[in-house]
Structures are given as C-alpha cells and as structure tokens.
Amino acid sequence: WRSPRSAAKVRAAPAVREFAERLRLGETALHQELESAFHLVMAESVRNSMCGSCRALCMFPPASLPWEVPDDDCNFEDLEAPLAVVAQRLFNDQRRREQATARRSSELSAGDADCCGGFSSQLQRTAMTAAFIIDFAHEVGVDLPPMPESLHALLRDFAAKAAESGTGQAPCRQSDTGSAAAETDGNSVGYYWLTGSFLWPWASESDPPSPSPPLPEADRERAAGG
C-alpha cells in the first residue's frame, strides 16, 4: 500500500527524469524559462529585502513625507526620490497586494466562480511557480543564471541610501520591524531566495551574491524528498 503522496511521486518520476535530463542537456526553451523564473524570483527577493530594511528603520510606513505620495504610487524602484518616499511606495505596493488578496478571499467565500484572483494572487502564484522551477533546477545540478545587474544595482543603491539614513538611529523594536522572511513561507531553496533575506549582507558588495545559498541539512533532505 502506498500513501497518496508516494503514489503521486511514482507517477511523476518519469516526467521528472525527462525534464531533468533536458535541463542538463541545455535545451534552449527550458533554459529560457529558467532565466525568466530566476529573474522574477530575484526581483521579488530584492523587493522583500527593501521592505525589511524599511521596517528596520521604522519607515514602513514612514512617519512623515517630504511631499504627498498617492496611494496608487508604487514606483519604489525610483531611487532618485528621498528614502521616505521610496519607503512609502514600497508600503503602497505591499498594501495593494494585501488588499487584492483580501478581495480574492472574499470573492471565494462568496462563491464567485468568475473571480480572476487579482494582481496579488496572480503574482504570488507566478512567484511560487518560479521558485519551484529554481528548486528543480538546483536539485538536478543545473547552474543557475547570475543575478541580473539591474537588480543588483537597485539593491546596492538602496542599501547605500538606507545606511545613510539609518546612521545614528536607534533600532526599532522587533515587534515594529517584522522581517523580510515573513513575506513568504517555506524552507526550499526557491523560497529562501524569494524572501530576499540572504541578499542583504551582499548589498554593498561589488559582485552579486551566489545564486546557490546553502540549505540546512534537514531542508536539503526535505527538498530531495527524503
């Protein structure tokens, strides 16, 4: 007798072996999908790192702004703006996602079969799928792409701006700051990248971080299905 999970693994094994071999052989279409997935996960990772830094500075949201920032202004990648404005835009983006998720839950509770899920749930599903693709490639030993230079520059420049603002500032209480890792749950490699928590120590370095952070032994066994 096999459990449903074990039976599913047996049924999936041929497809897993096929896709693993195609990845190892360098099939162009699959590697293009891998690059797209990695870029998406890195973009979410950088965003979540930026949110975590703003929380650490008690600026999520900021207490004051140099000018009014509309609720629908989510252009947090514009680092020409003051840090408080960037933090408010990050907060707006996070609130937009949460509101979209709440609407999705309400529509599902009401039995609306036509609801499309909204921006946030679509992005979350896409990001989780991308994280799974990265996990799969990592586990079968395929080299992952480097971190896109545009994202590395965004992280580096934001880190410099945040460090300058935080000089001499008392740290927030833990209950105030939250954590970048709280954005996404999970123990796999893809989830680890998605949280952005491993990126911050490298934010001021000249080279992007390695795309292969080590996993604890228990997590490696879980990711391998052990």
Side-chain angles (χ1 to χ4, degrees):
W1 178 87
R2 289 194 182 100
S3 68
R5 182 176 178 182
S6 297
K9 285 183 176 181
V10 171
R11 289 195 301 271
V16 169
R17 288 193 292 268
E18 177 191 350
F19 276 90
E21 186 62 20
R22 288 166 62 187
L23 272 172
R24 293 190 190 102
L25 291 174
E27 184 174 314
T28 301
L30 287 184
H31 276 264
Q32 289 174 344
E33 291 290 338
L34 177 60
E35 289 180 6
S36 297
F38 191 77
H39 190 282
L40 190 153
V41 169
M42 286 290 100
E44 283 294 286
S45 183
V46 168
R47 174 197 171 275
N48 288 338
S49 285
M50 293 169 70
C51 289
S53 181
C54 290
R55 287 189 178 98
L57 293 171
C58 295
M59 297 180 69
F60 203 74
S64 61
L65 292 166
W67 62 73
E68 183 178 355
V69 178
D71 290 344
D72 62 353
D73 184 353
C74 302
N75 186 25
F76 58 84
E77 295 182 354
D78 177 15
L79 297 185
E80 295 296 322
L83 180 62
V85 172
V86 176
Q88 182 64 51
R89 289 168 172 169
L90 280 162
F91 183 79
N92 290 349
D93 183 64
Q94 181 63 25
R95 183 167 53 186
R96 176 180 61 167
R97 295 179 181 213
E98 292 171 353
Q99 290 173 345
T101 299
R103 286 195 299 270
R104 166 69 171 171
S105 298
S106 177
E107 290 164 347
L108 288 177
S109 298
D112 185 355
D114 295 327
C115 69
C116 64
F119 168 80
S120 181
S121 56
Q122 289 180 15
L123 176 60
Q124 186 178 35
R125 287 195 299 270
T126 303
M128 290 298 108
T129 302
F132 171 81
I133 292 171
I134 291 174
D135 278 343
F136 184 88
H138 177 80
E139 289 301 317
V140 302
V142 174
D143 290 336
L144 295 173
M147 183 178 183
E149 177 55 34
S150 60
L151 293 176
H152 179 248
L154 175 64
L155 181 67
R156 180 192 62 227
D157 294 347
F158 179 80
K161 184 182 286 285
E164 181 180 351
S165 174
T167 302
Q169 179 171 319
C172 284
R173 298 188 305 274
Q174 182 63 35
S175 59
D176 294 333
T177 64
S179 168
E183 300 290 335
T184 308
D185 295 327
N187 294 311
S188 67
V189 173
Y191 291 145
Y192 186 49
W193 288 322
L194 204 54
T195 64
S197 56
F198 84 97
L199 284 176
W200 205 249
W202 286 276
S204 61
E205 298 295 332
S206 58
D207 296 322
S210 166
S212 301
L215 278 177
E217 185 66 32
D219 292 343
R220 286 200 298 271
E221 292 178 358
R222 181 159 42 247

